[in-house]
Amino acid sequence: MCGFVGYLGNVEPATADGLLRRMTGSIAHRGPDEQGVFVCPSAGLGHARLSVVGLGDGQQPMASASGDLHIAFNGEIFNYVELRDELKARGRRFRTGSDTEVILHLYEEMGPDCVDLMNGDFAFAVWDAPRQRMFFARDRMGVRPLFYTEVGGTLYFASEVKAFARVPDFTAELDEIALDQIFTLWAPIAPRTAFKNVYELEPGHIMIADKGGLVTRPYWQLDFPDAEASRAPRDERQAAEELRELLTDATRIRMRADVTVGSYLSGGLDSSIVSALAAPMATGGLRTFSVTFDSAEHDESEFQEEMALAIGSHHSAVNVGPGDIASIFPEVINATERPVIRTAPAPLYQLSGLVRAKGIKVVLTGEGADEVFAGYDIFKETLVRRFCDRQPGSASRPHLFRKLYPYLPGLQKQSASYLAAFFGAGKDSLDDPLYSHRPRMRNTAAAKLFFSGDLRAKLASYDAAAELASQLPERFARWHPLHQAQYLESRYLLPGYILSSQGDRMSMAHGIEGRFPFLDHRLVEFASWLPPGMKLKGLVEKHILREATKDLLPPSIGQRTKQPYRAPDSQSFVGAGEQPWLRDAMSSEAIADSGFFDVSTVRKLTEKCRQQAVTGFRDNAAFVGILSTQLWHRSFAGSRSDVTEAA
Amino acid sequence: MTQQIKDTVKAFIIDNFLFGDTSYALADDVSLIESGVIDSTGVLELVTYIEDQFGLEMADSDIVPANLDSLVRIAAFIEAKQAAAQPVKQAAGAA
């Protein structure tokens, strides 16, 4: 797990090495162990290495035995042992024990189709000298990042956008469409990023770049059966056994490393399952890590400690107290490289710092289970909305919404008719492909109230939801409603926010590699074809997962209702210890200077936050969204290469 | 009277939920929920405001969109509520 940079095109030979070293240096946090560069007349690669597999012989960029290929690789191929054995059986000889060399051999044999055989979290670039082309690939679910841009006719690429700030003539500018998308969908729609003219390779895609230009195509796509087929009866016990077998194997191959592998433990079902499976596989006992909160409504330490005791792990926790989120938020946004509307990434930034301090480089997490096995509230909410829409006048059905959100006091006090109104019961067409996500989009988009007049005018004819709907595959309409909602979460929010802003960018800021057994593509494909009722049974989420793992967990954890991971939002920033940077970032001068938001309304919102009077979703999302956009602007906008900087 | 109530409530909504944004066209009959002006916590703020500003006590059964989801509805509701309270006050004063 590492970071890499590179270019394809014309860079002065005399400056290429220095440029690559500066670009690599800007993402050194991703790979603090080693750095290397490769330069040839029309291409270059740079690599910052976090040594995890093949500690002594896995240096990168790595060349093939023939010298025809050079690779820079970020991530892991978890089935590299089996692939290497097969390659050896076909007569291929290996010089290292690394998974990087496996990719080179596979590419030599199969070309771009090599990715079909890989089970892993990866992004890589292979310079194919005989064909004078650069081949790129990104893992199926979007765990590892890969960005690219073109400056002066040369293609530049990197694991993080900040590397482009080292490229002469690159100017960072906020993409206003992306901002609209973040303020509607929580994340930009890939390949768009928060940076104008900077793109990301989409999950499950490959890209070939040569003198003819760029060609991108998917090699894997999330798929579901047609609605009718998805209802076909299936033996639940057998399905649970298969699931257990797959999940165990997904965890087993993710324990492969030449360093100690630890595990996050949130106290919820998913990370508890992963930790319980990993504990007997960990030589010398499993190390587990948690975030705890001072605020009772966010804290789950009771369950974390219970689970750590149950599996006998050596447990450590980092506590988030008043002011902690505010004190690190500028660093967090420097790492996310995009505005966010929640503070939830910040505690994970603190957590990866704890893991690094404890000398661990790799952690398993439970990420992905909520998408794959329908754990999120939004899936249950969709079910209840559809139930209400079948009898719009019902005075009793809307009370079910209250059951979904016991942690939102504002909702608990509402009448049935207000509950129905808030969730748009009867408002959205059941045939709307975005039916499941409409209330969330409406609630989030309300925060665009704070956009400046100029920005509103520019975006007047733009509709982020319509763009999202236009990208859905033709087969989407044939899927069961639960599967449609799962697709929207898994294809967009998962890579666009969960795995990036909360995932890779927060862990790699401290050089920590996250591994996600629930996102093993074999498990994802298996779960996609399970009947919807096995995943969401009534209003019980992740039913089949609970069945498959009930012997692993104490009942108090195994039967727990999903607690969404949340962190204090606007209240994190105000009060006695208000940070000076916040006053600067939210000052009228700074708001006017960036130009994205309305000075007067933002001033009133900030004052309302200072009075601790902001409690609703919209205003919290708006405050965090505005603040993070301002910090983004301060960190990145207009950034230009500083060529005098030491390499 | 209705117009005066409407203007008072409108000023509160613009100041509190639209943060003084007067460019927002808050039509008298626009749904406050569907237009994203208020959310679930906003309703609670609105109820508190109406009780304090107009000296009314609102029962749980009063807190429904039919009474509160637009300026027109809010003004009509407050006026009706005040009218219903008036005879009681007068009767109490006469005794």
Side-chain angles (χ1 to χ4, degrees), chain A residues 51-112:
Chain A
S51 310
V52 170
V53 173
L55 299 185
D57 58 10
Q59 288 82 8
Q60 296 189 49
M62 182 182 285
S64 61
S66 66
D68 285 346
L69 306 176
H70 287 79
I71 184 172
F73 164 45
N74 166 28
E76 306 291 345
I77 309 299
F78 299 119
N79 64 338
Y80 78 102
V81 177
E82 291 77 11
L83 291 172
R84 188 174 55 196
D85 288 348
E86 290 166 18
L87 286 158
K88 279 182 176 174
R90 293 200 289 273
R92 292 206 159 251
R93 298 172 72 170
F94 283 78
R95 294 166 295 147
T96 76
S98 73
D99 50 348
T100 312
E101 193 180 358
V102 171
I103 302 175
L104 285 170
H105 280 285
L106 275 180
Y107 180 81
E108 270 183 337
E109 282 198 357
M110 302 175 65

Side-chain angles (χ1 to χ4, degrees), chain A residues 295-586:
Chain A
S295 57
E297 66 170 309
H298 301 104
D299 186 61
E300 298 185 61
S301 55
E302 175 193 342
F303 297 101
Q304 294 159 0
E305 285 161 16
E306 183 181 356
M307 196 60 214
L309 193 64
I311 61 173
S313 66
H314 177 61
H315 189 64
S316 308
V318 61
N319 187 61
V320 178
D324 285 342
I325 288 176
S327 67
I328 58 170
F329 205 60
E331 295 166 52
V332 168
I333 298 307
N334 191 51
T336 62
E337 298 187 326
R338 61 182 54 167
V340 293
I341 58 160
R342 312 296 299 266
T343 59
L348 297 171
Y349 181 89
Q350 279 183 272
L351 181 59
S352 65
L354 168 74
V355 175
R356 170 54 67 170
K358 296 287 183 185
I360 302 290
K361 291 180 177 179
V362 182
V363 286
L364 305 179
T365 91
E367 214 62 82
D370 287 321
E371 289 80 1
V372 174
F373 293 104
Y376 287 129
D377 291 333
I378 200 165
F379 301 126
K380 287 188 266 189
E381 183 189 298
T382 304
L383 198 72
V384 172
R385 284 170 58 227
R386 286 184 178 271
F387 182 62
C388 291
D389 285 347
R390 287 160 63 107
Q391 204 178 102
S394 169
S396 57
R397 294 187 180 201
H399 287 294
L400 282 169
F401 288 119
R402 207 172 280 142
K403 192 174 156 61
L404 301 186
Y405 298 99
Y407 48 88
L408 296 180
L411 270 185
Q412 296 302 312
K413 298 169 186 167
Q414 302 294 345
S415 63
S417 51
Y418 252 128
L419 288 168
F422 290 132
F423 289 97
K427 179 179 170 59
D428 302 308
S429 162
L430 291 169
D431 297 328
D432 178 358
L434 304 181
Y435 178 90
S436 57
H437 285 61
R438 286 291 180 192
R440 182 199 281 175
M441 289 177 194
R442 277 194 290 269
N443 291 341
T444 308
K448 290 193 281 190
L449 160 74
F450 298 95
F451 280 3
S452 67
D454 283 353
L455 186 57
R456 281 195 224 178
K458 284 183 193 169
L459 296 169
S461 60
Y462 178 71
D463 183 341
E467 181 174 340
L468 178 64
S470 73
Q471 297 203 345
L472 299 174
E474 180 269 333
R475 61 192 189 283
F476 182 94
R478 300 195 297 271
W479 294 340
H480 184 280
L482 178 67
H483 289 161
Q484 292 178 332
Q486 281 188 275
Y487 182 86
L488 292 172
E489 284 291 296
S490 306
R491 179 69 180 83
Y492 295 98
L493 195 70
L494 180 67
Y497 175 73
I498 301 283
L499 292 176
S500 48
S501 295
Q502 275 191 197
D504 177 271
R505 264 15 73 75
M506 291 303 102
S507 59
M508 289 311 290
H510 292 114
I512 300 299
E513 172 180 312
R515 296 181 175 185
F516 315 102
F518 285 109
L519 293 177
D520 186 304
H521 72 276
R522 296 169 302 168
L523 195 65
V524 172
E525 290 168 0
F526 169 81
S528 297
W529 289 77
L530 288 174
M534 274 193 192
K535 289 176 269 193
L536 187 54
K537 189 170 187 176
L539 289 182
V540 176
E541 74 281 3
K542 295 183 279 200
H543 167 72
I544 191 71
L545 180 61
R546 291 175 197 272
E547 285 299 302
T549 57
K550 58 188 172 191
D551 61 308
L552 288 174
L553 311 174
S556 57
I557 305 244
Q559 292 161 16
R560 258 189 107 191
T561 304
K562 166 79 184 166
Q563 282 292 114
Y565 165 64
R566 298 179 302 145
D569 285 311
S570 65
Q571 65 268 39
S572 303
F573 299 98
V574 293
E578 187 174 310
Q579 300 276 333
W581 64 258
L582 185 133
R583 282 193 290 277
D584 293 345
M586 299 295 273

Side-chain angles (χ1 to χ4, degrees), chain A residues 41-54:
Chain A
S42 53
L45 297 169
H47 191 265
R49 185 175 186 222
L50 180 73
S51 310
V52 170
V53 173

Side-chain angles (χ1 to χ4, degrees), chain A residues 414-415 417 456 604 616 618, chain B residues 15 17 19 21 40-41 63 65:
Chain A
Q414 302 294 345
S415 63
S417 51
R456 281 195 224 178
K604 288 196 174 188
R618 181 195 71 174
Chain B
D15 191 53
F17 300 124
F19 297 89
D21 180 5
S40 57
T41 51
I63 306 171

Side-chain angles (χ1 to χ4, degrees), chain A residues 169-195:
Chain A
D169 297 329
F170 173 82
T171 303
E173 195 179 336
L174 186 71
D175 185 313
E176 288 157 341
I177 296 282
L179 189 65
D180 191 292
Q181 292 172 348
I182 291 168
F183 273 68
T184 308
L185 312 168
W186 296 27
I189 302 174
R192 190 185 293 276
T193 72
F195 294 79

